[in-house]
């Protein structure tokens, strides 16, 4: 770096201008990153603040809030509920969504265009509408409001996400692959597990992670369907009525940490073999 | 010879469009048959129905004497080489080739040894562990072939297998395909729109048009005796002209763009009728200097297309044009290429003139 700088300074004015240009680019990028991450940084920082009040500068560092967190049974239960709902809703949408996407891609049936549009509609529908309509439906069918109802509600809303992502990937997969597999004697299930699934797995993992994230922090649908059980976002939201507590900052920080782990995991999962796309 | 494939009254419609129109065809065991025709003539649809990828609207297909019309592809002793090769991108070359054995429950060790055997048949035994995207186009083609023959099918279907290769490689692969056919002794059914490919490789060529078979024959048969103007024009090039046949004392006479020609003896039967005739550009001879010959056409040279080993002369007649191919030694030989615009004469022996059936009549 230093030698490069020395070299450029020799050629004078034009490089001086180039330096300014580079600097302004850097500042621009820093501004964008700040815009994206400053709120999170503040949250993380305050989670270690030893004062209850959210004032800058912080008076000192402490891990008290994390300790308090570990003793808050309600919050821990809410966290487990959220994970349970998100994992179940994601699995359910994948199990329904992947075959639906394959059906859309491979078969022609009357009303296919309409089916496609109908499956996409819930994306555009506000969660509050899905929540209310689900509530009415479950009530009139006599189902209890519960976490299971929340799972069904989330799965409905997320189905469009999964189908859209998987369908887009299937469209880029040549139909001849499945035909070749059948030609070589494979059954439908063998073709699905040995050929189709490995070739759309990046889309499946991506869709699954997106669905998980969306379900994990979903409030409107959950609000209507959850009954007595609390999910984490619901719990945080309800405690907010009593004011912001550093405990919330601590749980927020843990969630950020979890997200970072998830992102790294997905990068690792998706890294190998993806280069062999177009054969 | 036994019949391996019997097709009877096979029809496929897509909505209102007739893809394949009432086709009947027998294919002998061990034969190399080519379905030839322009795109949209139904040749690929016919092949895909033999493979089981399309359900026929009407008609029957029997494989080895057994009706397979509604049998799915996975249950037919027929394998296909796809136009885009359809190699599985996530599997190695060896696993691609072994796939057909693996899914039918063959022991792992046998899968590997038979896959290696098939790969060595196409000269790729050292690429067993390679990934398909690391291979060249020609190598992928060979992997697709190895994968399709590893299960020892009764019939190998090839859907325009060479169309994605460049010209040099295509010629080389034509020879390799032909060799492979001899080596493995399987029945090959190939689809192509390239007449050279069809003539070079096949035992028999099936020329198709608009979902129907126009003519079936050996390459030589098709080239020397095309029955219709369509076949004459699609397989090789042909000078075609329409004339009324006048039967006189010296045999049948016809007129080619305003000049009289002696027609082949068989034309006598068509006396008085308007008929389509044709001759191949290389069957006529250019007359040099004062040379005299029977059955000549005289005109002016309007263009010379130099092809290296031959030259194509475009000759203006009174009411049309004909083209004549001359070996390049003849053209250069004594006096060089004739000048564009000069008067030239060609002669064509009566038996080299072909009588062609009209499309409408067929």
């Amino acid at each position: 770096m230093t030698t490069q700088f020395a070299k450029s300074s020799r050629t004078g004015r034009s490089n001086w201008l180039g330096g300014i240009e580079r600097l302004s680019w850097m500042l621009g990028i820093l501004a964008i990153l700040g815009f994206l991450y400053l709120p999170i940084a503040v949250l993380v920082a305050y989670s270690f603040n030893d004062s209850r009040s959210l004032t800058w500068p912080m008076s000192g560092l402490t891990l008290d809030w994390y300790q308090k967190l570990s003793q808050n049974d309600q919050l821990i239960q809410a966290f487990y509920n959220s994970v349970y709902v998100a994992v179940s809703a994601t699995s359910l949408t994948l199990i329904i969504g992947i075959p639906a996407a394959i059906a859309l891609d491979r078969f022609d049936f009357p009303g296919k265009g309409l089916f496609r549009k109908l499956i996409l509609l819930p994306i555009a529908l506000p969660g509050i509408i899905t929540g209310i309509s689900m509530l009415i439906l479950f009530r009139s069918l006599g189902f209890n409001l519960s976490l299971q109802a929340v799972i069904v509600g989330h799965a409905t809303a997320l189905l469009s996400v999964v189908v859209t992502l998987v369908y887009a990937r299937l469209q880029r997969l040549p139909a001849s692959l499945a035909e070749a597999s059948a030609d070589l004697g494979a059954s439908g299930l063998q073709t699905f597990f040995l050929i189709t699934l490995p070739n759309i797995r990046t889309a499946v993992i991506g869709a699954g992670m997106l669905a998980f994230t969306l379900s994990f922090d979903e409030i409107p649908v959950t609000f209507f369907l959850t009954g007595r059980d609390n999910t984490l976002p619901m719990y945080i939201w309800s405690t907010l009525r009593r004011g912001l507590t550093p405990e919330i900052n601590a749980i927020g920080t843990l969630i950020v940490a979890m997200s970072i782990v998830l992102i790294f995991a997905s990068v690792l999962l998706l890294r190998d073999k993806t280069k062999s796309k177009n054969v | 010879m036994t019949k391996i494939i019997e097709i009877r009254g096979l029809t496929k419609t897509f909505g209102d469009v007739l893809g394949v129109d009432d086709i009947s065809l027998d294919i002998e065991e061990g034969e190399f048959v080519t379905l030839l025709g322009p795109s949209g003539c139904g040749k690929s649809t016919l092949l895909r129905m033999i493979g089981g990828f399309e359900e026929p609207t009407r008609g029957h297909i029997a494989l080895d004497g057994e009706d397979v019309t509604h049998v799915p592809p996975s249950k037919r002793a027929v394998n296909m080489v796809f136009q885009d090769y359809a190699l599985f991108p996530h599997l190695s070359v060896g696993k691609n080739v072994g796939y057909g054995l693996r899914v039918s429950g063959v022991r792992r060790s046998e899968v590997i040894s038979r896959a290696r055997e098939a790969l060595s048949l196409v000269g790729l035994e050292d690429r067993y562990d390679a990934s398909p995207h690391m291979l060249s186009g020609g190598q992928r083609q060979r992997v697709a072939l190895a994968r399709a023959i590893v299960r020892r099918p009764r019939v190998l279907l090839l859907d325009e297998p060479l169309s994605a290769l460049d010209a040099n490689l295509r010629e080389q692969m034509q020879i390799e395909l032909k060799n492979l056919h001899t080596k493995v002794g399987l029945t090959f059914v190939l689809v192509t729109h390239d007449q050279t490919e069809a003539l070079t490789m096949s035992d028999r060529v099936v020329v198709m048009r608009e979902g129907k078979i126009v003519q079936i024959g050996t390459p030589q048969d098709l080239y020397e005796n095309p029955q219709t103007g369509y076949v004459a024009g699609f397989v090789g090039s042909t000078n075609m002209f329409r004339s009324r046949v006048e039967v006189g004392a010296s045999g049948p006479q016809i007129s080619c763009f305003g000049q009289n020609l002696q027609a082949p003896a068989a034309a006598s039967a068509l006396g008085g009728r308007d008929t389509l005739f044709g001759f191949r550009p290389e069957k006529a001879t250019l007359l040099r200097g004062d040379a005299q010959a029977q059955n000549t056409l005289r005109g002016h040279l309007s263009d010379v297309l130099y092809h290296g080993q031959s030259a194509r002369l475009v000759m203006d007649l009174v009411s049309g044009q004909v083209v004549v191919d001359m070996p390049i030694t003849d053209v250069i030989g004594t006096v060089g290429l004739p000048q564009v615009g000069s008067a030239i004469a060609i002669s064509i022996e009566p038996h080299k003139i072909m009588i062609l059936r009209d499309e409408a009549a067929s």
Side-chain angles (χ1 to χ4, degrees):
Chain A
M1 279 310 272
T2 43
T3 51
Q4 204 183 359
F5 205 77
K7 253 187 228 162
S8 61
S9 67
R10 228 178 292 150
T11 40
R13 208 181 139 81
S14 65
N15 270 311
W16 183 71
L17 279 175
I20 288 190
E21 191 189 326
R22 219 175 312 158
L23 191 70
S24 42
W25 270 114
M26 294 282 241
L27 284 175
I29 290 167
L30 276 178
I32 293 170
L33 285 177
F35 180 68
L36 284 174
Y37 288 104
L38 199 59
I40 296 172
V42 169
L43 174 99
V44 173
Y46 275 127
S47 75
F48 296 105
N49 191 4
D50 73 354
S51 153
R52 253 193 176 284
S53 61
L54 302 176
T55 49
W56 197 261
M58 300 192 303
S59 43
L61 292 177
T62 178
L63 286 174
D64 280 0
W65 307 119
Y66 288 91
Q67 207 194 337
K68 269 199 151 169
L69 196 69
S70 65
Q71 288 155 2
N72 188 336
D73 293 337
Q74 264 187 314
L75 191 146
I76 290 169
Q77 186 57 45
F79 174 80
Y80 281 138
N81 286 345
S82 271
V83 171
Y84 166 65
V85 167
V87 167
S88 313
T90 303
S91 315
L92 191 63
T93 30
L94 287 179
I95 289 168
I96 302 172
I98 295 171
I102 289 178
L104 271 178
D105 179 51
R106 292 286 180 255
F107 305 112
D108 272 319
F109 47 87
K112 177 173 163 173
L114 186 66
F115 179 56
R116 251 187 74 192
K117 291 188 180 69
L118 283 179
I119 233 172
L120 294 185
L121 188 64
I123 279 192
L125 224 51
I128 199 156
I129 304 294
T130 315
I132 291 177
S133 50
M134 281 265 170
L135 176 68
I136 297 169
L137 178 72
F138 283 146
R139 274 280 165 74
S140 52
L141 290 176
F143 287 157
N144 286 330
L145 295 181
S146 62
L147 286 180
Q148 286 72 28
V150 175
I151 290 169
V152 175
H154 284 189
T156 317
L158 294 173
L159 194 62
S160 45
V161 174
V162 170
V163 171
T164 309
L165 287 173
V166 175
Y167 178 69
R169 183 72 188 85
L170 281 169
Q171 287 275 287
R172 293 194 288 137
L173 199 67
S176 58
L177 290 186
E179 283 183 351
S181 172
D183 184 54
L184 292 164
S187 67
L189 278 181
Q190 281 174 321
T191 299
F192 175 74
F193 284 110
L194 297 175
I195 302 300
T196 310
L197 198 54
N199 278 298
I200 60 167
R201 69 186 241 293
T202 50
V204 170
I205 293 171
M209 290 190 38
L210 186 58
F212 183 90
T213 317
L214 290 177
S215 166
F216 193 81
D217 70 14
E218 210 277 346
I219 291 185
V221 175
T222 315
F223 179 80
F224 287 104
L225 299 179
T226 188
R228 277 176 320 177
D229 295 305
N230 247 347
T231 61
L232 188 62
M234 294 276 293
Y235 177 81
I236 293 175
W237 190 61
S238 61
T239 53
L240 277 183
R241 277 179 296 187
R242 285 172 273 143
L244 270 171
T245 64
E247 253 180 297
I248 301 292
N249 293 338
I251 185 76
T253 304
L254 287 180
I255 290 174
V256 169
M258 200 174 80
S259 306
I260 291 172
V261 169
L262 265 180
I263 287 166
F264 272 102
S266 73
V267 169
L268 283 177
L269 273 172
L270 301 181
R271 196 171 49 183
D272 61 332
K273 289 181 184 174
T274 42
K275 53 185 181 282
S276 56
K277 252 173 222 159
N278 306 309
V279 174
Chain B
M1 287 281 216
T2 49
K3 279 182 205 148
I4 184 107
I5 296 177
E6 285 174 73
I7 295 167
R8 291 289 172 270
L10 204 63
T11 301
K12 174 77 183 175
T13 54
F14 299 100
D16 296 335
V17 184
L18 257 175
V20 167
D21 186 3
D22 191 25
I23 279 185
S24 295
L25 175 70
D26 287 343
I27 294 170
E28 305 281 331
E29 179 148 27
E31 234 187 342
F32 195 136
V33 171
T34 299
L35 309 178
L36 175 68
S39 58
C41 73
K43 57 190 192 301
S44 282
T45 309
L46 177 57
L47 191 79
R48 288 174 60 80
M49 284 195 283
I50 299 175
F53 302 108
E54 303 281 354
E55 185 90 352
T57 313
R58 274 189 302 280
H60 296 280
I61 304 171
L63 178 68
D64 229 356
E66 208 176 303
D67 190 318
V68 294
T69 314
H70 302 291
V71 174
S74 55
K75 301 270 191 292
R76 294 190 190 196
V78 165
N79 282 131
M80 174 115 139
V81 175
F82 290 81
Q83 187 168 9
D84 62 355
Y85 315 140
L87 298 182
F88 308 131
H90 60 296
L91 298 179
S92 70
V93 165
K95 290 201 163 139
N96 259 284
V97 176
Y99 183 81
L101 302 169
R102 176 178 159 208
V103 294
S104 41
V106 175
R107 260 188 308 116
R108 221 180 112 77
S109 56
E110 198 189 332
V111 171
I112 294 172
S113 72
R114 277 171 68 182
R116 283 195 189 281
E117 195 186 316
L119 274 174
S120 72
L121 211 53
V122 294
L124 283 177
E125 57 271 54
D126 55 333
R127 304 310 300 270
Y128 187 93
D129 293 312
S131 173
H133 74 270
M134 289 156 60
L135 304 181
S136 68
Q139 288 175 324
R140 283 180 203 172
Q141 161 77 79
R142 284 185 208 141
V143 174
L145 273 169
R147 188 177 69 178
I149 58 175
V150 77
R151 299 178 76 218
R152 295 174 196 145
R154 302 301 315 270
V155 179
L156 186 67
L157 307 176
L158 304 114
D159 188 6
E160 306 240 9
L162 308 182
S163 60
L165 305 177
D166 57 47
N168 285 333
L169 200 53
R170 203 179 309 162
E171 261 176 50
Q172 188 194 329
M173 282 307 296
Q174 284 175 14
I175 301 167
E176 281 190 30
L177 261 183
K178 186 86 190 136
N179 286 343
L180 187 71
H181 176 246
T182 322
K183 243 191 285 184
V184 297
L186 291 173
T187 310
F188 278 36
V189 182
L190 181 132
V191 155
T192 185
H193 61 268
D194 181 332
Q195 44 116 352
T196 326
E197 220 169 277
L199 294 183
T200 323
M201 297 191 286
S202 344
D203 297 323
R204 238 167 13 126
V205 179
V206 178
V207 185
M208 291 182 62
R209 185 192 195 187
E210 288 167 6
K212 283 182 180 297
I213 294 176
V214 189
Q215 190 175 349
I216 306 178
T218 63
Q220 196 184 337
D221 198 22
L222 282 182
Y223 193 82
E224 300 294 338
N225 304 307
Q227 282 163 15
T228 65
Y230 174 73
V231 177
F234 198 76
V235 181
S237 43
T238 304
N239 295 301
M240 277 184 267
F241 55 95
R242 184 167 285 289
S243 168
R244 198 179 166 79
V245 184
E246 306 289 356
V247 184
S250 54
Q253 297 286 321
I254 50 172
S255 150
C256 172
F257 300 120
Q259 297 185 38
N260 267 348
L261 281 180
Q262 175 92 36
S268 302
L270 300 163
R273 257 187 283 169
D274 211 31
T275 309
L276 190 64
F277 291 92
F279 63 91
R280 299 284 188 191
E282 75 282 4
K283 304 268 170 159
T285 327
L286 179 68
L287 299 176
R288 308 306 301 257
D290 301 329
Q292 291 294 316
Q294 298 264 297
N295 238 19
T296 55
L297 294 174
R298 294 182 183 281
H300 287 87
L301 186 62
S302 90
D303 208 354
V304 177
L305 308 166
Y306 182 72
H307 289 324
Q309 81 276 29
S310 68
R312 175 158 287 190
L313 311 180
V314 184
M315 185 177 163
D316 276 334
L317 298 178
V318 182
S319 58
Q321 277 188 332
V322 294
V323 296
V324 183
D325 286 346
M326 295 295 153
I328 211 70
T329 48
D330 275 20
V331 178
I332 301 289
T334 46
V335 277
L337 284 162
Q339 289 291 310
V340 170
S342 63
I344 56 167
I346 58 163
S347 90
I348 173 87
E349 291 175 59
H351 72 268
K352 289 180 176 167
I353 297 174
M354 306 178 291
I355 305 167
L356 303 168
R357 246 190 310 129
D358 271 319
E359 285 322 298
S362 68

